Amino acid sequence: EAPGMAKNTNMRWRLPLVCLLWEVAMIVLFGVFVRFGAEADAHWEEEKQEMNLTSDMENDFYFRYPSFQDVHVMIFVGFGFLMTFLKRYGFGAVGFNFLLAAFGIQWALLMQGWFHSFKDGKILIGVENLINADFCVGSVCIAFGAILGKTSPIQLLVMTLFQVTLFSVNEYILLNLLHVKDAGGSMTIHTFGAYFGLTVTRILYRPNLEQSKDKQGSVYHSDLFAMIGTLYLWMYWPSFNSAISDHGDAQHRSAINTYCSLAACVLTTMAFSSMLQKKGKLDMVHIQNATLAGGVAVGTSAEMMLTPYGSLIVGSISGIVSTVGYVYFTPFLESRLHIQDTCGIHNLHAMPGLIGGIVGAITAATATEDVYGKEGFIKAFDFTGVYQTRTPSIQGGFQAAGIVVSLLMAFAGGAIVGAILKLPIWGDAAAENCFEDGVYWEVPEDEESDVYHMHNPDKPASP
Amino acid sequence: EAPGMAKNTNMRWRLPLVCLLWEVAMIVLFGVFVRFGAEADAHWEEEKQEMNLTSDMENDFYFRYPSFQDVHVMIFVGFGFLMTFLKRYGFGAVGFNFLLAAFGIQWALLMQGWFHSFKDGKILIGVENLINADFCVGSVCIAFGAILGKTSPIQLLVMTLFQVTLFSVNEYILLNLLHVKDAGGSMTIHTFGAYFGLTVTRILYRPNLEQSKDKQGSVYHSDLFAMIGTLYLWMYWPSFNSAISDHGDAQHRSAINTYCSLAACVLTTMAFSSMLQKKGKLDMVHIQNATLAGGVAVGTSAEMMLTPYGSLIVGSISGIVSTVGYVYFTPFLESRLHIQDTCGIHNLHAMPGLIGGIVGAITAATATEDVYGKEGFIKAFDFTGVYQTRTPSIQGGFQAAGIVVSLLMAFAGGAIVGAILKLPIWGDAAAENCFEDGVYWEVPEDEESDVYHMHNPDKPASP
Amino acid sequence: EAPGMAKNTNMRWRLPLVCLLWEVAMIVLFGVFVRFGAEADAHWEEEKQEMNLTSDMENDFYFRYPSFQDVHVMIFVGFGFLMTFLKRYGFGAVGFNFLLAAFGIQWALLMQGWFHSFKDGKILIGVENLINADFCVGSVCIAFGAILGKTSPIQLLVMTLFQVTLFSVNEYILLNLLHVKDAGGSMTIHTFGAYFGLTVTRILYRPNLEQSKDKQGSVYHSDLFAMIGTLYLWMYWPSFNSAISDHGDAQHRSAINTYCSLAACVLTTMAFSSMLQKKGKLDMVHIQNATLAGGVAVGTSAEMMLTPYGSLIVGSISGIVSTVGYVYFTPFLESRLHIQDTCGIHNLHAMPGLIGGIVGAITAATATEDVYGKEGFIKAFDFTGVYQTRTPSIQGGFQAAGIVVSLLMAFAGGAIVGAILKLPIWGDAAAENCFEDGVYWEVPEDEESDVYHMHNPDKPASP
């Protein structure tokens, strides 16, 4: 793009058109396909008797709803506020994340429903579907992190449509065809989401992005807003990794492993953040992001018998890898590979996601009946039916295959979607207007003039 | 009021007097009336055996406590921070909301207790009472939104006293006399609360309010603080609408319907926010508020078999109505009807509340045994005892009557309470000092001078 | 220290060394000692059958996980953001709290594990251990409040190591040797943590602290950030006090008592905040802190039959004591006793903690079989085994002894740890650089120059 060339970023007809068109499509498709699952349907009163359930507590709602709400907070407040670190893109960070996630969960209910909850021509939904829809959208929020500040809301909606679709296909291949375990989504959510986003941002490479470099940083208060996102992601990650695990010990174990991994990750992140800086000062970018790598890196294995000390080891390593990534890899990716990664998702999701996939494969491959108990072993890996002859080492191999499939889907899908988003019809801003809320948002005047004044001391402030 | 006429806003004796007097009254009344319900009393050990309960899980605490905490967050952080959008009224928004809600829940425990949990001269409370007290106070927080920035804390405490009382009476009429279903409070909380608040603000009309017009807007960071409120309200609304529904499928269903409605509402809000603005830019006021209308609009029907696509339709419509309301109705209400509605509760609570009541009436009127199952049908509408001959269409009629009663109670109650609040003894500020924390709060000096400096560039900043 | 004398605050090697050393130690110790408890282990499938459990719901995870997550939020967001009120120490408040808590929970899992969950050479952990670890760290967060802004991160890590150790010893003495009840930690967490922190800050007395006085205040937005912390602490305190109570009525009752106490506390805090100020204006320091005293003050007695009106009384009193403390005691402690208490933990935790211990002793001493029921009485105070002959009055005596032991441990421990922290090797800042993030953090440039400009109007802002 030529510097200074005006672009038409007026969303007045395009954004409403896309939003309304897709919402109408959702209504029609929900009308045709989506119904309440048995545990949310008023017929459950009768169902309970047929199933000999003596307590309303046996409804899946009570096993999963608290975790669902925690995941919900991670998607909307966690990801949304984590991205408010930019000084002039807080509205876009929170607002566009809100928009894409609200659309994405509807489409994900359908896509995942067709693959996993389809019965007699209907998709039957319950609380587990809501969690899975949030999970799926999580991968879009991750990809959004790579292109934050450089795309129009329409591009984000288009990306969401395609990414949710591809996510669901990839998830189906992993969970159903390869029979892989990935309850916390190291592969399906993080590896796929991050490499998808990195491929998209590579295709959308903007050579003149240094024109908006002054807006790519944070200010003091925006860093504190971002810490709200960080902490909610960090605190609720045990719920994320345990939300769709089997009832009972598996959910319990997932939460403990994740708690341990995340705690360790904070210490190694702080250590390396200080160590890699000449004056030994801590960098908020690392604290905001790398402290979360521990959650990503046990996403596959948390429900397995990873053990608390295993979790500490994985968390420690992922904190180091992620912090080193922010210091050395991100600049390298931008300068050499032309991958402009606004939030550094390569460090927070891509590499820790790969670690998570690998740790999951190893943990599965080394599982024994001794460690899990005879029944626990079968239940943990669902070695029933056609899979009853699978051995741990074979399972480990399939887990590893899951990583490869996720990567391939991400690269191929990202390339295609990136090419679509490159079309000059979506209303993205010129390079000098990136990372600037004023392009798509009504911004309060006073503050704007204040910030303007701050950067232009010779210009008088408006009254 | 004459412009510039000084008013005595010193709270030193009045506010402590009211607070302490009412707290002493609470202590006395709690001492006389309030005791632990069976499930919170230490006698439960014996009660369990009598009732043949085999598990501690059967305690209502485990069915409702997670939802209670979500509702609690909505009342204190959700409403509190949603109202921090004003540039210089953040302390008042969060702090006065905190004050009135903390008082209101105590008084609501008593009022609602007398109506619903009174046994042998005692009010027996449990977690459901806590939720209902929060719900009741929610209606006061809504009314607070209309008069935000224009009243003294004493006026708010007086309003809370009366509004909680009226709320409880109205709720009793609807739930007990009309036998209406309204688990998420479209009528009892939103319609009543909003029209009550709008009536109060009409009575308190301030003709010279344009004198503080420069403080009625937001600044960049205050809009982000408000988004914290928005998102917590949005995320936890499924808990709000399901918190006091019947155990099992009803809670499950309420959460799903609300989740769907809110997701759809975000898309139509974004669409109309962009469409109704010449440059197609999104307005944070709409995103902060209208995105929540979908939760309000399924408040009555969420626990019914509204179905996911029905929820999408209701959510879509309410997002449109609410956004259009902000653009066209709010200015009209102010200029023509002299209703100064600071937060636009007419758009977020009043109209969507009416929609919610109507949708509830229709959903009830069209219910069939086929859709609900024989037992589910009776349980959903509690068609037992004297109500066992009620038909869906009659229920629909009573639901509609509930809307009318709520409106009448709101108008009559609001008029009386507004008249009381108009007395010149409560210490409200002059028009030119509205929307300004400095009137009732110690405000940090530095920032004040900074903001002052911002608006008065010719005046030097204080050292 | 001599004013202006440069101190070496470069953390580059010291902080990484401490972090990594301790994380390695954690990994080794976890590897040797920590394993999953029965309910989190994959063998639970078999265990369930042996124990005749018919439902996965009987897993402790479902009784406590929602409360655990609320407690988790209180530790990391609650305490972290409560301390962001300082204008230039937000990174340190949230970030160092994050660091010390993440380390502390690992060490607490070990220390508390050795005392309470040690079996056949292994520490067996489950969700209750996670809660207790968070509780233990809560006492460190409290102590951090006293020394906020005046210590290096290494000092905080050293303090955490020692304080967690001492906390665990004190807790063991109280719960196991004295057989004291203290589910919400009025004594073990608040009294111990606060007096420990006050002793440490006394030892670390800085005579020249007025040099950084301009940074000891808040700015408008930092006060709003702090309110996020306040509200999450306030809202989730019912979960805090009920998190490790017995299943069933005890958890239910704890939540209700705490809810009532906190509600009353808000009103008396507001009353006294206004009353003690000449112009009757409310002070955000009081609202941010004293409103929470009600939660502290029922920490011991909440699970007992304190009754709702008893809770209102305790909450009312603690709000008054705490607010009066901020106005009169804190300046006195600083000027006369040389106790510099940055956050006023003496008012929020020390005094209310003592009240909590005393109320607990009285409530226990006055317990009767009539009020609790025969079985409820035994269960509530665990009067079984060697304790089956204990009477309420004797229990009350032991409860009182628990307060004394906690105080002695706090003073002795705080003195020793304070002396260690006084060694000139930990990299703390000079007096004039206290309360300043720039010492240990990379701070965004623009804002810094902006703030600088604000305080030095004669100096031009940087472009």
Side-chain angles (χ1 to χ4, degrees), chain C residues 101-383:
Chain C
F103 165 64
I105 53 179
Q106 298 177 58
W107 180 228
L109 280 176
L110 286 165
M111 280 302 303
Q112 294 178 316
W114 283 317
F115 279 123
H116 301 289
S117 312
F118 201 59
K119 203 181 155 188
D120 300 335
K122 299 294 174 198
I123 295 166
L124 302 178
I125 64 173
V127 65
E128 196 172 337
N129 298 69
L130 306 190
I131 298 170
N132 276 312
D134 272 30
F135 275 5
C136 174
V137 157
S139 85
V140 187
C141 300
I142 291 166
F144 178 34
I147 56 176
L148 183 74
K150 300 173 293 190
T151 46
S152 76
I154 299 178
Q155 284 176 305
L156 296 174
L157 284 171
V158 171
M159 185 178 84
T160 305
L161 179 73
F162 285 106
Q163 194 180 347
V164 166
T165 310
L166 292 164
F167 175 99
S168 304
V169 172
N170 185 53
E171 185 188 43
Y172 178 77
I173 295 172
L174 264 67
L175 303 190
N176 295 54
L177 304 187
L178 302 179
H179 196 69
V180 149
K181 302 297 283 184
D182 194 20
S186 290
M187 295 177 280
T188 55
I189 302 170
H190 299 286
T191 302
F192 170 77
Y195 285 103
F196 181 95
L198 292 167
T199 310
V200 167
T201 198
R202 175 62 192 82
I203 308 271
L204 298 181
Y205 176 63
R206 287 169 176 272
N208 301 309
L209 203 58
E210 78 286 352
Q211 291 176 9
S212 51
K213 209 185 167 191
D214 59 317
K215 281 173 280 184
Q216 282 193 62
S218 62
V219 288
Y220 195 69
H221 281 138
S222 71
D223 269 327
L224 281 177
F225 278 115
M227 279 304 290
I228 297 174
T230 298
L231 287 175
Y232 275 99
L233 288 168
W234 192 90
M235 296 179 302
Y236 286 166
W237 216 296
S239 301
F240 192 93
N241 284 347
S242 66
I244 58 163
S245 290
D246 286 337
H247 293 173
D249 59 287
Q251 285 199 292
H252 203 153
R253 189 163 58 244
S254 294
I256 295 172
N257 279 330
T258 310
Y259 176 95
C260 289
S261 177
L262 285 163
C265 188
V266 174
L267 266 83
T268 56
T269 296
M270 294 270 185
F272 275 74
S273 180
S274 171
M275 197 194 296
L276 299 177
Q277 219 269 346
K278 214 171 62 185
K279 292 182 183 167
K281 295 188 183 180
L282 296 163
D283 189 327
M284 280 302 268
V285 171
H286 308 155
I287 312 309
Q288 283 158 8
N289 292 280
T291 51
L292 301 169
V296 177
V298 295
T300 304
S301 56
E303 63 174 1
M304 302 177 191
M305 289 291 282
L306 178 61
T307 73
Y309 70 87
S311 302
L312 292 188
I313 294 171
V314 176
S316 298
I317 292 170
S318 60
I320 294 169
V321 169
S322 188
T323 309
V324 169
Y326 275 98
V327 177
Y328 297 114
F329 297 173
T330 297
F332 174 84
L333 289 179
E334 175 148 6
S335 61
R336 299 299 174 86
L337 304 183
H338 288 181
I339 296 172
Q340 293 159 326
D341 178 7
T342 310
C343 295
I345 64 164
H346 182 256
N347 314 306
L348 171 47
H349 298 284
M351 290 189 297
L354 288 178
I355 294 174
I358 294 165
V359 170
I362 295 170
T363 313
T366 57
T368 63
E369 278 195 14
D370 191 44
V371 169
Y372 287 77
K374 198 177 170 64
E375 289 184 45
F377 180 72
I378 293 167
K379 195 181 169 194
F381 296 98
D382 203 12
F383 285 160

Side-chain angles (χ1 to χ4, degrees), chain A residues 4 46 50 74 89 103 115 182 191 196 202 224 268 327 342 370 374 386 392 394 404 426:
Chain A
E46 289 155 15
E50 284 168 34
M74 293 174 73
Y89 208 71
F103 165 65
F115 278 124
D182 195 20
T191 302
F196 181 94
R202 175 63 191 80
L224 281 176
T268 56
V327 178
T342 310
D370 191 45
K374 197 177 171 65
V386 295
I394 290 175
V404 178
W426 308 118

Side-chain angles (χ1 to χ4, degrees), chain B residues 19-34 102-111 114 161, chain C residues 264 267 308-309 312-313 316:
Chain B
C19 285
L20 295 178
L21 205 71
W22 290 2
E23 192 53 50
V24 168
M26 290 301 111
I27 291 171
V28 171
L29 290 169
F30 269 58
V32 174
F33 289 109
V34 181
F103 165 65
I105 54 179
Q106 298 177 60
W107 180 227
L109 280 176
L110 286 165
M111 280 303 304
W114 283 316
L161 179 73
Chain C
L267 266 83
Y309 70 87
L312 292 188
I313 294 171
S316 298

Side-chain angles (χ1 to χ4, degrees), chain B residues 55 62 65 437 442 446, chain C residues 58 87 220 239 251 277 379:
Chain B
S55 168
Y62 301 104
Y65 189 72
D437 272 332
E442 294 283 316
D446 285 308
Chain C
E58 294 300 317
K87 68 181 76 162
Y220 195 69
S239 301
Q251 285 199 292
Q277 219 269 346
K379 195 181 169 194

Side-chain angles (χ1 to χ4, degrees), chain A residues 122-138:
Chain A
K122 299 293 173 199
I123 295 167
L124 302 177
I125 65 172
V127 65
E128 196 171 339
N129 298 70
L130 306 189
I131 298 171
N132 275 312
D134 272 29
F135 275 4
C136 175
V137 157

